């Protein structure tokens, strides 16, 4: 039985079906919505300029300075203070590089600058996925077919059941456990996901294409291993050795070398082995300790980046508020319908300005799905205008605190590991907060932004053509 056939059997079961707000909108209303969403995009694209350019360059400079600070601090990684500070700087640098820079640059958000160094066609990032494979699976598949069951491969990443419409399989019993592994090693899970092995099984992808993708991942793996687990630990260890030499051996270090202990325990170890081990005990203990400490710091920084990316991405896609859609619901979808599906299929995470920067501004996941090629710094600017549309057309605006969204996601992962389940209650249409009886009625945030003038930019819209940015919503009328 296909997914759509299974859905057809449950469509009349009121306990297992939550009607999409799309069902309450007429075709004319949906078309008007599409024009209003286009107008927001046009206005922003007609206003991009030097302030936006300065922002992305400053973020890149900050990220690189943090990375340098982390590497310098980890030269003294034998010190606990230096280890913690260096790991924190490096972890933050990796988060910024992954979230606010890499993800957004490869979406084409900064292609309008025509900067040869900050462009989606040339940018690569410090993560396991190749730029080419990620752009196809994320920019095209996920952002074009967002939350369409059976088409959006990011819906549970093909290994988890996160929507009750998905047929249950005994393998899902383990999903709370392998989700922990996915959290820690998220970059590698995404890289494997981007291989699209399901397309290979269906004959939609050739073995040659798979081999090409595997070679690309292999290159990324080799770079990360050499950089984080060999190169920088060796540099830190070398820095300790030089410092120890310059100090005349006065830096405190362990009394014995790990390699020396192994040499002494080796079968047939004799006088020469013991002499060599003694020399190692004088030279290597601090070198070994520094190498291992830097290795551990780099590993921890990568885990920090992976855990954060997993949390932000899952909280923006899988909390209770989001809707999923059958293929039948999205047949002959118009541009306005595409916009509404993006609105309903994603959720925001509330937080401070710093939170939004380190989350790649994906705390504004709703705005990002509406406008994936819009510079991320503009999402806070257009959010009130999106709320205005939701208020006037009686649509939900999915948003919640980080703790709430994170809790809902993991509750769903645990519950849907078991058979059954039903969609959680969905939010009511967005509306301004009621005014206080003690004072005059306040103008809502949305209402303050009801006046706007479309700029009519010729490249406006989420299909803005650039290097590998292949989101394909229906065309404008």
């Amino acid at each position: 039985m296909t997914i759509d056939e299974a859905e057809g059997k449950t469509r009349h079961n009121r306990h297992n079906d939550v009607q999409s707000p799309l069902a309450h909108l007429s075709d004319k209303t949906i078309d008007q919505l599409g024009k209003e969403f286009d107008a927001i995009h046009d206005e922003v694209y007609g206003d991009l300029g030097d302030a936006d350019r300065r922002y992305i360059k400053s973020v890149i400079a900050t990220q690189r300075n943090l990375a340098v600070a982390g590497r310098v601090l980890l030269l003294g990684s034998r010190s606990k203070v230096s280890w913690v500070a260096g790991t924190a700087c490096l972890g933050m640098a990796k988060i910024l590089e992954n979230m606010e820079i890499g993800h957004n640059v490869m979406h084409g958000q900064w292609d309008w600058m025509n900067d040869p160094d900050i462009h989606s066609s040339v940018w690569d990032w410090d993560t396991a996925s190749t730029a080419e494979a990620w752009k196809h699976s994320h920019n095209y598949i996920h952002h074009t077919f967002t939350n369409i069951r059976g088409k959006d491969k990011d819906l549970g990443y093909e290994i988890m059941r996160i929507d009750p419409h998905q047929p249950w399989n005994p393998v899902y019993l383990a999903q709370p456990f392998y989700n922990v592994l996915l959290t820690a090693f998220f970059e590698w899970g995404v890289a494997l996901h981007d291989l699209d092995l399901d397309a290979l099984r269906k004959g939609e992808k050739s073995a040659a294409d798979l081999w090409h993708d595997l070679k690309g991942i292999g290159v990324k793996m080799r770079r990360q291993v050499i950089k984080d687990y060999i190169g920088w630990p060796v540099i830190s260890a070398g820095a300790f050795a030089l410092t120890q030499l310059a100090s005349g051996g006065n830096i405190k270090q362990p009394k014995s070398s790990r390699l020396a202990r192994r040499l002494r325990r080796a079968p047939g170890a004799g006088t020469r082995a013991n002499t060599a081990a003694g020399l190692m005990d004088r030279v290597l203990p601090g070198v070994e300790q520094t190498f291992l400490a830097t290795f551990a710091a780099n590993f921890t920084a990568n885990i920090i980046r992976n855990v954060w990316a997993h949390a932000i991405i899952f909280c923006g896609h899988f909390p209770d508020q989001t809707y999923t859609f059958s293929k039948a619901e999205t047949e002959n979808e118009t541009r306005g319908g595409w916009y509404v599906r993006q609105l309903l299929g994603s959720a925001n995470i509330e937080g401070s300005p710093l939170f939004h920067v380190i989350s790649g501004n994906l705390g504004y996941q709703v705005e990002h799905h509406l406008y994936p090629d819009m510079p991320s710094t503009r999402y806070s600017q257009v959010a009130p205008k999106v709320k205005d549309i939701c208020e006037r057309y009686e649509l939900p605006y999915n948003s919640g605190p980080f703790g709430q969204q994170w809790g809902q996601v993991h509750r769903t992962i645990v519950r849907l590991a078991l058979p059954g389940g039903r969609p959680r209650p969905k939010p009511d249409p967005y509306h301004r907060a009621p005014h206080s009886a003690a004072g005059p009625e306040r103008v809502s945030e949305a209402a303050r932004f009801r006046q706007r003038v479309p700029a009519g930019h010729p490249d406006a819209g989420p299909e803005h053509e650039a290097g590998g940015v292949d989101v394909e919503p229906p065309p404008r009328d």
Side-chain angles (χ1 to χ4, degrees):
M1 180 183 294
T2 66
I3 292 177
D4 283 344
E5 288 171 344
E7 289 170 1
K9 290 195 171 186
T10 62
R11 220 168 260 134
H12 299 293
N13 184 337
R14 60 186 177 89
H15 295 295
N16 287 328
D17 192 37
V18 174
Q19 192 174 42
S20 164
L22 271 170
H24 303 296
L25 300 174
S26 68
D27 291 343
K28 182 178 179 180
T29 300
I30 291 174
D31 287 342
Q32 179 60 33
L33 275 166
K35 290 180 172 61
E36 293 208 36
F37 281 124
D38 278 336
I40 294 174
H41 188 286
D42 292 355
E43 184 178 18
V44 169
Y45 256 79
D47 185 53
L48 295 177
D50 288 340
D52 303 278
R53 188 189 312 272
R54 286 194 298 271
Y55 172 79
I56 188 59
K57 291 196 171 186
S58 69
V59 171
I60 292 173
T62 299
Q63 183 273 329
R64 290 173 178 171
N65 288 335
L66 279 170
V68 170
R71 299 299 186 187
V72 170
L73 286 166
L74 289 174
L75 293 176
S77 57
R78 291 177 65 245
S79 160
K80 290 183 179 178
V81 172
S82 185
W83 190 94
V84 170
T87 302
C89 286
L90 189 57
M92 183 57 71
K94 287 177 177 286
I95 285 173
L96 279 177
E97 193 274 339
N98 194 184
M99 305 296 287
E100 180 69 336
I101 302 172
H103 171 272
N104 294 334
V105 170
M106 292 200 297
H107 257 299
Q109 293 180 7
W110 304 99
D111 287 359
W112 59 271
M113 299 190 306
N114 292 318
D115 188 310
D117 298 319
I118 309 173
H119 197 276
S120 62
S121 62
V122 298
W123 195 272
D124 203 355
W125 54 357
D126 180 26
T127 189
S129 292
T130 65
E132 178 186 11
W134 182 84
K135 287 180 196 177
H136 174 75
S137 74
H138 183 81
N139 288 7
Y140 172 61
I141 299 294
H142 172 58
H143 274 274
T144 301
F145 306 112
T146 305
N147 282 25
I148 300 178
R149 299 183 293 271
K151 296 188 75 172
D152 181 4
K153 297 179 184 295
D154 281 16
L155 198 60
Y157 287 89
E158 299 182 293
I159 60 171
M160 284 191 286
R161 182 174 181 248
I162 49 82
D163 184 273
H165 293 94
Q166 293 173 272
W168 183 81
N169 187 292
V171 72
Y172 294 133
L173 290 170
Q175 74 180 26
F177 305 102
Y178 57 70
N179 181 54
V180 174
L181 291 176
L182 180 63
T183 301
F185 301 101
F186 189 57
E187 61 173 315
W188 301 104
V190 172
L192 292 175
H193 165 72
D194 290 347
L195 289 175
D196 198 359
L197 297 178
D198 185 56
L200 182 70
R201 288 192 294 269
K202 293 178 178 178
E204 299 170 356
K205 181 174 183 175
S206 69
D209 288 337
L210 176 64
W211 178 241
H212 172 77
D213 291 344
L214 285 171
K215 286 194 295 183
I217 293 175
V219 169
K220 301 300 289 285
M221 180 185 293
R222 183 171 67 249
R223 287 176 184 169
Q224 188 174 116
V225 168
I226 292 174
K227 174 173 61 70
D228 284 344
Y229 304 128
I230 298 176
W232 283 109
V234 165
I235 290 172
S236 293
F240 172 84
L242 291 173
T243 306
Q244 181 75 305
L245 180 64
S247 69
N250 291 323
I251 300 177
K252 186 178 179 180
Q253 63 178 346
K255 293 182 179 180
S256 62
S257 160
R258 295 168 182 260
L259 290 176
R261 290 197 296 270
R262 291 186 179 182
L263 182 59
R264 290 188 178 99
R265 291 196 299 267
T271 303
R272 289 185 179 179
N274 288 330
T275 301
L279 179 62
M280 290 179 181
D281 284 337
R282 291 195 298 272
V283 176
L284 290 183
V287 171
E288 293 171 343
Q289 190 178 46
T290 303
F291 180 95
L292 293 173
T294 303
F295 182 104
N298 290 345
F299 180 80
T300 303
N302 281 323
I303 296 296
I304 290 170
R305 183 264 315 278
N306 291 339
V307 170
W308 183 251
H310 177 280
I312 295 300
I313 292 167
F314 272 52
C315 287
H317 292 90
F318 307 139
D320 292 351
Q321 306 107 309
T322 58
Y323 288 80
T324 63
F325 307 86
S326 68
K327 295 176 185 177
E329 286 178 280
T330 57
E331 285 181 1
N332 303 315
E333 186 177 59
T334 63
R335 187 178 182 86
W338 182 88
Y339 273 123
V340 177
R341 177 163 53 81
Q342 304 303 318
L343 176 76
L344 301 176
S346 49
N348 282 1
I349 313 166
E350 297 161 7
S352 67
L354 176 60
F355 169 85
H356 287 302
V357 171
I358 64 176
S359 68
N361 276 287
L362 294 180
Y364 294 103
Q365 189 71 239
V366 170
E367 286 71 24
H368 173 59
H369 266 269
L370 290 169
Y371 309 112
D373 74 326
M374 180 182 290
S376 59
T377 51
R378 295 299 191 112
Y379 291 151
S380 61
Q381 173 187 330
V382 304
K385 303 178 184 183
V386 174
K387 291 178 182 178
D388 172 45
I389 290 177
C390 292
E391 185 176 30
R392 288 185 288 110
Y393 288 89
E394 298 186 339
L395 292 168
Y397 182 83
N398 300 331
S399 186
F402 177 79
Q404 171 190 298
Q405 307 294 59
W406 191 89
Q408 289 178 359
V409 166
H410 289 278
R411 179 185 62 193
T412 295
I413 289 172
V414 172
R415 170 61 189 93
L416 295 185
L418 304 172
R422 61 183 180 181
R424 303 288 300 183
K426 303 301 180 187
D428 293 329
Y430 174 82
H431 59 83
R432 57 182 172 176
H435 68 279
S436 170
E441 181 175 353
R442 299 177 60 187
V443 178
S444 72
E445 180 185 30
R448 292 200 304 270
F449 290 89
R450 283 186 175 160
Q451 300 299 321
R452 53 181 166 269
V453 179
H457 192 281
D459 290 333
E463 72 282 8
H464 178 65
E465 294 183 2
V469 184
D470 294 320
V471 183
E472 292 186 2
R476 298 191 187 201
D477 293 336

